[in-house]
Amino acid sequence: MLRDVVFEPSGTDSDEFTVSYWKIDPGERVGVGGELLVVESVEEKTALVVPSPFAGVLTEIVAREEHTIVPGALLGRIEVS
Amino acid sequence: MRSEPRLPAWLTRPLGDPARIQEVRKTISAHGLNTVCSEARCPNRGDCFGRGTATFMILGDRCTRDCAFCSVGHGAPEGPDPGEPAAVAAAAASLGLSYVVVTSVTRDDLRDGGAASFAETIREIRGAIPHAGVEVLVPDFEGRQAAIDTVLHGGPDVFGHNVETVERLYEGVREGADYRRTLDVLSHASRALGTARVKSALMLGLGERREEIEATLEDLRAAGVGIVYLGQYLRPSRAHRPVARFVHPDEFREWERRARAMGFSQVSAGPFVRSSYRAEETFARARTTAPGSSGAEKRPGAKERERSAEPHHA
């Protein structure tokens, strides 16, 4: 089943982030909590690693590097195993 | 397009535990309090809130100064809330804290700079959580020694006042403050409390030179500071002073070694180090590694605190 990965930066106060880079490529497998991508926000003063909410195979990257994203944004899709 | 350079890899960290973060936020909010963690957009807040800790910021959320590195709001503040000291103690007890750090906005509008509120907050915390350590991080009180004495009479375990940057950069970074006055505040506290319980912090990456960092550390030691923290300056918004450079973790380790060689009893240095970050761990180390010193290995009793807080004149 294909599941959307939505950006939910719990515990942060920022409403705008920039995608720095993905830590895995489409076709690669990831576990729950595995590192998916890194985002940045000036207001957070740090880069944050976004964990995977699902176990499965990353099939699509929607939020590409350098893109600006907001909470609730679609990051990509995972084929859940 | 990206308008900022990418942060170096060593400034990457995981998102905090959302459930615990929400719990801390709800507790703080339910008591009508502020934290410097949120107001200053501290990069550690996810980590600290996730571990159930926070640094309380008393005397409102508006500062009478407007430092170029800080995102705490500024403007004309309201009068102190008389219920705030008890609210801080209740929130700290509710969060199960065993070490409480209390700081404030700068209140140049108040006759005592808010010193009485610090003392009262310490007393309330002592009443609510007798076993807890209490650390204060105070403004410079415009150098008024009577205000510093008022705080010391409250009986903090650790007295902190941050030098923030090197002397040359005060103008432009810390408007309204004075480097020598900050050293005097620390010196006065050290004469009363002892070196091992006086703390200061310095941000790197604001444009300071190596020899200036060295000189600042020497000045802090000469002022009687025993605990020093060094961390990376990170600007809280694009309207704030830009980061001059990102200091590599290896350089922070060098500064840590250098500071220890200078005689600081407790040193914490690293990109994410902030003056209250994991302060409870430094305090615990100080208690176990400084036997026989006048430091934090043993909290003084009330009478002892009264005595130790008497003004000393060199």
Side-chain angles (χ1 to χ4, degrees):
Chain A
M1 183 174 50
L2 204 58
R3 302 285 299 268
D4 289 346
V5 180
V6 175
F7 184 46
E8 294 173 344
S10 305
T12 65
D13 300 309
S14 307
D15 53 13
E16 188 179 298
F17 294 78
T18 303
V19 176
S20 294
Y21 60 96
W22 282 75
K23 301 197 82 164
I24 64 170
D25 293 319
E28 286 189 66
R29 182 168 289 280
V30 64
V32 174
E35 297 182 348
L36 273 184
L37 72 157
V38 175
V39 300
E40 287 180 25
S41 161
V42 172
E43 292 187 350
E44 294 301 317
K45 297 184 180 175
T46 184
L48 297 163
V49 180
V50 178
S52 175
F54 315 115
V57 175
L58 180 68
T59 59
E60 185 185 357
I61 287 175
V62 175
R64 298 190 174 279
E65 291 184 11
E66 310 295 317
H67 280 198
T68 299
I69 54 171
V70 297
L74 178 63
L75 297 173
R77 292 189 175 87
I78 288 177
E79 183 67 39
V80 175
S81 49
Chain B
M1 277 300 291
R2 177 184 292 271
S3 57
E4 296 279 317
R6 180 176 289 177
L7 292 172
W10 62 80
L11 289 174
T12 301
R13 65 190 326 166
L15 283 165
D17 172 5
R20 190 67 172 124
I21 289 168
Q22 277 309 107
E23 188 185 333
V24 171
R25 287 196 158 153
K26 277 185 185 167
T27 302
I28 301 289
S29 169
H31 288 87
L33 298 171
N34 297 302
T35 63
V36 73
C37 326
S38 293
E39 299 301 323
R41 296 175 185 162
C42 178
N44 300 323
R45 62 194 184 279
D47 178 17
C48 293
F49 287 180
R51 288 183 294 107
T53 65
T55 295
F56 297 97
M57 190 177 80
I58 63 172
L59 294 162
D61 60 0
R62 269 175 287 170
C63 187
T64 51
R65 297 191 196 167
D66 187 18
C67 297
F69 62 87
C70 180
S71 66
V72 173
H74 67 101
E78 295 175 353
D81 171 5
E84 189 174 60
V88 169
S94 174
L95 289 168
L97 302 187
S98 57
Y99 194 80
V100 188
V101 185
V102 179
T103 188
S104 77
V105 288
T106 296
R107 293 294 303 258
D108 292 332
D109 60 313
L110 300 176
R111 187 182 294 268
D112 74 345
S117 293
F118 269 101
E120 188 56 27
T121 303
I122 298 166
R123 291 188 192 104
E124 288 285 350
I125 294 168
R126 297 270 185 237
I129 326 171
H131 64 276
V134 185
E135 175 173 326
V136 292
L137 172 61
V138 301
D140 64 15
F141 299 119
E142 297 183 300
R144 289 192 294 271
Q145 294 192 348
I148 302 165
D149 291 334
T150 299
V151 176
L152 294 172
H153 276 293
D157 290 292
V158 173
F159 178 99
H161 175 59
N162 287 345
V163 67
E164 309 288 14
T165 188
V166 301
E167 184 170 15
R168 178 177 59 85
L169 297 180
Y170 259 54
E171 191 180 340
V173 170
R174 242 195 125 189
E175 294 292 346
D178 181 276
Y179 182 79
R180 294 290 152 188
R181 186 166 72 195
T182 277
L183 294 177
D184 287 344
V185 168
L186 291 163
S187 180
H188 185 74
S190 181
R191 285 196 295 273
L193 272 187
T195 296
R197 291 165 58 194
V198 176
K199 175 175 179 177
S200 195
L202 178 62
M203 296 178 285
L204 304 189
L206 281 159
E208 67 288 332
R209 294 188 285 265
R210 186 178 177 85
E211 60 272 22
E212 292 175 318
I213 302 170
E214 184 102 7
T216 305
L217 290 172
E218 283 170 357
D219 285 342
L220 291 174
R221 272 305 291 145
V225 172
I227 309 169
V228 70
Y229 278 27
L230 297 101
Q232 168 72 53
Y233 165 65
L234 294 163
R235 72 167 162 176
S237 83
R238 292 183 179 93
H240 289 81
R241 186 182 176 96
V243 174
R245 71 178 178 119
F246 292 110
V247 179
H248 193 276
D250 287 346
E251 185 179 334
F252 276 111
R253 280 188 279 274
E254 277 180 41
W255 283 116
E256 181 164 346
R257 281 193 291 272
R258 183 75 194 107
R260 287 189 192 285
M262 284 182 181
F264 289 97
S265 56
Q266 297 292 326
V267 184
S268 187
F272 286 121
V273 168
R274 299 293 181 272
S275 56
S276 56
Y277 185 49
R278 294 183 178 266
E280 70 280 9
E281 294 174 9
T282 300
F283 181 66
R285 278 199 304 275
R287 282 178 130 159
T288 55
T289 60
S293 80
S294 58
E297 73 280 2
K298 177 179 175 291
R299 185 190 303 154
K303 283 186 178 175
E304 196 179 342
R305 283 201 296 271
E306 288 285 311
R307 281 198 305 274
S308 68
E310 288 296 323
H312 294 232
H313 300 286

